[in-house]
Amino acid sequence: MGDTNAGASRWRVPAVQLLGSLFFTGFWFAWTFFYAIPFVIACFFLPFRRRFVLARAYATVVLWVLRWSCGLSYRIEGAPLPEGGHIALWKHSSSWETMAMMVVFPRQVWVLKRELLWIPVVGIGVQQMHAIAIDRSAGHSAVAQVVEQGKARLEDGNWVMIYPEGTRMPVGETRRYGVSGTLLAAASGRLLVPVAHNAGYYWPRRGLMKRPGVVRVVIGTPIAAAGREVREVNEEIQAWVEATVRRLAPTTNG
């Protein structure tokens, strides 16, 4: 799964790269809102598994246009995904992974900040995807919400996607990983799958410019949390993810 970076050198002219980045950004916003309207309507008539097919189609188009306009593709590496539904802990350094996870992983629900539900039309679509929308300032109650609702989503055969840092982090930075994913894994008996990538180098947290290249996504070995100390598991996962991200740092900026 994934793409190569053939022909990316033709995007190295800064002015052309800026134009491509501006085009992509405009397309992305327009595509999101125009797609959301028929998507929301369709969701009233479709079961969840069909809704996810539509969500994946949306993300697939975004990644294709990104490759065409900015010369930014991706490649998947690492361990195979375990059968069934489990919990994926993604590094959060870019908006890129919010699109890619829909394509890379099987049917899924997302743990996200509740403010996203307030976006006109788009928020309704997110809600219809059975997202677990939390108040990040709620502390223990937010964690309990993830565990309670996450167990129900897992029992329905879905994956649960979590950003343990809670927010997008600048390249080279991190914060203590949250425990909700690990607690959910322990309570449900499911596995934790860490995911590291270097998208932040190509699609930075801030700014319009998208750099050409290949985003490398590395799927870590699944980890069982049941019967283990939560902080120990979190520290193990964070150490692996952050070390892998550093290893994936490109030698040039494209």
Side-chain angles (χ1 to χ4, degrees):
M1 181 186 296
D3 298 312
T4 63
N5 194 35
S9 60
R10 63 195 174 98
W11 298 103
R12 293 181 185 271
V13 179
V16 174
Q17 192 66 32
L18 177 59
L19 287 174
S21 299
L22 289 171
F23 170 83
F24 170 77
T25 300
F27 166 81
W28 185 35
F29 280 102
W31 173 242
T32 298
F33 280 97
F34 282 114
Y35 194 89
I37 296 172
F39 177 82
V40 166
I41 295 172
C43 282
F44 285 110
F45 306 98
L46 295 176
F48 182 72
R49 66 180 183 279
R50 298 288 180 84
R51 298 178 199 176
F52 181 70
V53 170
L54 293 179
R56 173 174 278 176
Y58 158 80
T60 299
V61 171
V62 171
L63 293 180
W64 184 87
V65 174
L66 178 66
R67 179 184 181 184
W68 176 82
S69 61
C70 300
L72 183 56
S73 58
Y74 68 95
R75 181 171 68 241
I76 310 301
E77 307 171 17
L81 295 178
E83 295 292 329
H86 299 277
I87 301 103
L89 302 182
W90 281 71
K91 174 66 179 177
H92 200 17
S93 59
S94 171
S95 294
W96 181 87
E97 59 265 20
T98 64
M99 302 292 105
M101 62 171 52
M102 288 185 264
V103 178
V104 174
F105 272 68
R107 194 179 71 226
Q108 62 200 244
V109 300
W110 317 301
V111 175
L112 42 77
K113 58 184 179 181
R114 64 176 181 175
E115 289 81 359
L116 293 177
L117 302 183
W118 302 344
I119 302 174
V121 185
V122 173
I124 300 174
V126 170
Q127 193 170 26
Q128 289 177 324
M129 289 304 297
H130 296 177
I132 303 172
I134 61 171
D135 177 0
R136 292 186 296 184
S137 65
H140 292 298
S141 64
V143 173
Q145 178 186 353
V146 172
V147 173
E148 180 183 357
Q149 296 186 25
K151 287 170 65 178
R153 305 296 194 271
L154 291 167
E155 289 171 2
D156 288 337
N158 304 304
W159 280 74
V160 176
M161 306 282 114
I162 297 178
Y163 297 125
E165 290 163 305
T167 189
R168 283 178 294 170
M169 301 300 298
V171 168
E173 296 184 21
T174 187
R175 58 166 58 174
R176 175 183 277 190
Y177 282 18
V179 299
S180 60
T182 304
L183 288 172
L184 173 58
S188 63
R190 305 304 176 95
L191 299 172
L192 290 164
V193 177
V195 183
H197 60 83
N198 59 357
Y201 294 97
Y202 300 103
W203 181 339
R205 175 171 169 259
R206 302 190 188 281
L208 290 173
M209 183 70 83
K210 314 296 187 293
R211 299 183 178 93
V214 180
V215 175
R216 295 174 61 190
V217 180
V218 182
I219 298 172
T221 302
I223 296 171
R228 297 184 60 188
E229 203 280 320
V230 171
R231 285 296 178 191
E232 176 189 338
V233 175
N234 261 31
E235 289 171 3
E236 176 185 336
I237 290 173
Q238 183 164 12
W240 180 85
V241 169
E242 299 305 323
T244 302
V245 171
R246 289 192 295 271
R247 177 174 61 82
L248 296 176
T251 54
T252 67
N253 289 327

